[in-house]
PDB file of all heavy atoms in Angstrom:
ATOM      1  N   VAL A 247     -32.318  64.592  15.942  1.00  0.00           N
ATOM      2  CA  VAL A 247     -31.713  65.415  14.891  1.00  0.00           C
ATOM      3  C   VAL A 247     -31.630  64.639  13.594  1.00  0.00           C
ATOM      4  O   VAL A 247     -31.833  65.176  12.502  1.00  0.00           O
ATOM      5  CB  VAL A 247     -30.311  65.900  15.330  1.00  0.00           C
ATOM      6  CG1 VAL A 247     -29.595  66.597  14.169  1.00  0.00           C
ATOM      7  CG2 VAL A 247     -30.426  66.824  16.524  1.00  0.00           C
ATOM      8  N   LEU A 248     -31.332  63.335  13.729  1.00  0.00           N
ATOM      9  CA  LEU A 248     -31.134  62.506  12.537  1.00  0.00           C
ATOM     10  C   LEU A 248     -32.372  61.690  12.214  1.00  0.00           C
ATOM     11  O   LEU A 248     -32.295  60.604  11.640  1.00  0.00           O
ATOM     12  CB  LEU A 248     -29.930  61.562  12.752  1.00  0.00           C
ATOM     13  CG  LEU A 248     -28.596  62.248  13.080  1.00  0.00           C
ATOM     14  CD1 LEU A 248     -27.544  61.224  13.464  1.00  0.00           C
ATOM     15  CD2 LEU A 248     -28.132  63.096  11.910  1.00  0.00           C
ATOM     16  N   SER A 249     -33.521  62.173  12.580  1.00  0.00           N
ATOM     17  CA  SER A 249     -34.734  61.347  12.486  1.00  0.00           C
ATOM     18  C   SER A 249     -35.090  60.977  11.042  1.00  0.00           C
ATOM     19  O   SER A 249     -35.830  60.032  10.805  1.00  0.00           O
ATOM     20  CB  SER A 249     -35.917  62.056  13.149  1.00  0.00           C
ATOM     21  OG  SER A 249     -36.073  63.320  12.534  1.00  0.00           O
ATOM     22  N   ASP A 250     -34.562  61.718  10.062  1.00  0.00           N
ATOM     23  CA  ASP A 250     -34.849  61.348   8.682  1.00  0.00           C
ATOM     24  C   ASP A 250     -34.032  60.130   8.223  1.00  0.00           C
ATOM     25  O   ASP A 250     -34.247  59.591   7.147  1.00  0.00           O
ATOM     26  CB  ASP A 250     -34.614  62.536   7.735  1.00  0.00           C
ATOM     27  CG  ASP A 250     -33.238  63.165   7.946  1.00  0.00           C
ATOM     28  OD1 ASP A 250     -32.706  63.045   9.085  1.00  0.00           O
ATOM     29  OD2 ASP A 250     -32.696  63.733   6.985  1.00  0.00           O
ATOM     30  N   LEU A 251     -33.085  59.707   9.057  1.00  0.00           N
ATOM     31  CA  LEU A 251     -32.318  58.496   8.745  1.00  0.00           C
ATOM     32  C   LEU A 251     -32.759  57.366   9.671  1.00  0.00           C
ATOM     33  O   LEU A 251     -33.421  57.598  10.674  1.00  0.00           O
ATOM     34  CB  LEU A 251     -30.816  58.754   8.951  1.00  0.00           C
ATOM     35  CG  LEU A 251     -30.188  59.835   8.071  1.00  0.00           C
ATOM     36  CD1 LEU A 251     -28.825  60.220   8.615  1.00  0.00           C
ATOM     37  CD2 LEU A 251     -30.088  59.349   6.628  1.00  0.00           C
ATOM     38  N   GLN A 252     -32.363  56.135   9.282  1.00  0.00           N
ATOM     39  CA  GLN A 252     -32.640  54.995  10.158  1.00  0.00           C
ATOM     40  C   GLN A 252     -31.586  54.926  11.245  1.00  0.00           C
ATOM     41  O   GLN A 252     -30.443  54.576  10.982  1.00  0.00           O
ATOM     42  CB  GLN A 252     -32.603  53.702   9.339  1.00  0.00           C
ATOM     43  CG  GLN A 252     -33.887  53.443   8.559  1.00  0.00           C
ATOM     44  CD  GLN A 252     -34.278  51.982   8.678  1.00  0.00           C
ATOM     45  OE1 GLN A 252     -33.451  51.109   8.604  1.00  0.00           O
ATOM     46  NE2 GLN A 252     -35.573  51.739   8.890  1.00  0.00           N
ATOM     47  N   VAL A 253     -31.983  55.266  12.456  1.00  0.00           N
ATOM     48  CA  VAL A 253     -31.004  55.384  13.530  1.00  0.00           C
ATOM     49  C   VAL A 253     -31.383  54.505  14.712  1.00  0.00           C
ATOM     50  O   VAL A 253     -32.551  54.410  15.077  1.00  0.00           O
ATOM     51  CB  VAL A 253     -30.898  56.847  14.021  1.00  0.00           C
ATOM     52  CG1 VAL A 253     -29.754  56.991  15.024  1.00  0.00           C
ATOM     53  CG2 VAL A 253     -30.700  57.789  12.853  1.00  0.00           C
ATOM     54  N   GLU A 254     -30.413  53.864  15.299  1.00  0.00           N
ATOM     55  CA  GLU A 254     -30.623  53.180  16.568  1.00  0.00           C
ATOM     56  C   GLU A 254     -29.812  53.945  17.584  1.00  0.00           C
ATOM     57  O   GLU A 254     -28.724  54.427  17.288  1.00  0.00           O
ATOM     58  CB  GLU A 254     -30.016  51.768  16.521  1.00  0.00           C
ATOM     59  CG  GLU A 254     -30.841  50.728  15.823  1.00  0.00           C
ATOM     60  CD  GLU A 254     -30.041  49.429  15.776  1.00  0.00           C
ATOM     61  OE1 GLU A 254     -29.703  48.912  16.861  1.00  0.00           O
ATOM     62  OE2 GLU A 254     -29.732  48.974  14.669  1.00  0.00           O
ATOM     63  N   HIS A 255     -30.333  54.082  18.818  1.00  0.00           N
ATOM     64  CA  HIS A 255     -29.455  54.668  19.824  1.00  0.00           C
ATOM     65  C   HIS A 255     -29.445  53.809  21.072  1.00  0.00           C
ATOM     66  O   HIS A 255     -30.454  53.265  21.487  1.00  0.00           O
ATOM     67  CB  HIS A 255     -29.849  56.111  20.139  1.00  0.00           C
ATOM     68  CG  HIS A 255     -31.165  56.246  20.822  1.00  0.00           C
ATOM     69  ND1 HIS A 255     -31.284  56.326  22.192  1.00  0.00           N
ATOM     70  CD2 HIS A 255     -32.413  56.311  20.322  1.00  0.00           C
ATOM     71  CE1 HIS A 255     -32.570  56.432  22.496  1.00  0.00           C
ATOM     72  NE2 HIS A 255     -33.277  56.421  21.381  1.00  0.00           N
ATOM     73  N   LYS A 256     -28.279  53.631  21.618  1.00  0.00           N
ATOM     74  CA  LYS A 256     -28.139  52.906  22.878  1.00  0.00           C
ATOM     75  C   LYS A 256     -26.920  53.437  23.616  1.00  0.00           C
ATOM     76  O   LYS A 256     -25.949  53.883  22.989  1.00  0.00           O
ATOM     77  CB  LYS A 256     -28.023  51.402  22.631  1.00  0.00           C
ATOM     78  CG  LYS A 256     -26.962  51.017  21.605  1.00  0.00           C
ATOM     79  CD  LYS A 256     -27.016  49.516  21.361  1.00  0.00           C
ATOM     80  CE  LYS A 256     -26.054  49.151  20.245  1.00  0.00           C
ATOM     81  NZ  LYS A 256     -26.253  47.848  19.687  1.00  0.00           N
ATOM     82  N   ASP A 257     -26.991  53.359  24.941  1.00  0.00           N
ATOM     83  CA  ASP A 257     -25.938  53.914  25.806  1.00  0.00           C
ATOM     84  C   ASP A 257     -25.582  55.329  25.337  1.00  0.00           C
ATOM     85  O   ASP A 257     -26.451  56.160  25.221  1.00  0.00           O
ATOM     86  CB  ASP A 257     -24.695  53.025  25.784  1.00  0.00           C
ATOM     87  CG  ASP A 257     -25.020  51.591  26.160  1.00  0.00           C
ATOM     88  OD1 ASP A 257     -26.030  51.397  26.867  1.00  0.00           O
ATOM     89  OD2 ASP A 257     -24.298  50.669  25.739  1.00  0.00           O
ATOM     90  N   ASN A 258     -24.341  55.546  24.988  1.00  0.00           N
ATOM     91  CA  ASN A 258     -23.951  56.885  24.568  1.00  0.00           C
ATOM     92  C   ASN A 258     -23.680  56.944  23.064  1.00  0.00           C
ATOM     93  O   ASN A 258     -22.875  57.710  22.604  1.00  0.00           O
ATOM     94  CB  ASN A 258     -22.722  57.342  25.358  1.00  0.00           C
ATOM     95  CG  ASN A 258     -21.564  56.368  25.183  1.00  0.00           C
ATOM     96  OD1 ASN A 258     -21.786  55.224  24.738  1.00  0.00           O
ATOM     97  ND2 ASN A 258     -20.365  56.804  25.506  1.00  0.00           N
TER      98      ASN A 258
END
Side-chain angles (χ1 to χ4, degrees):
Chain A
V247 172
L248 302 172
S249 56
D250 51 334
L251 298 166
Q252 280 223 318
V253 187
E254 280 176 60
H255 67 95
K256 51 185 175 195
D257 305 335
N258 57 343

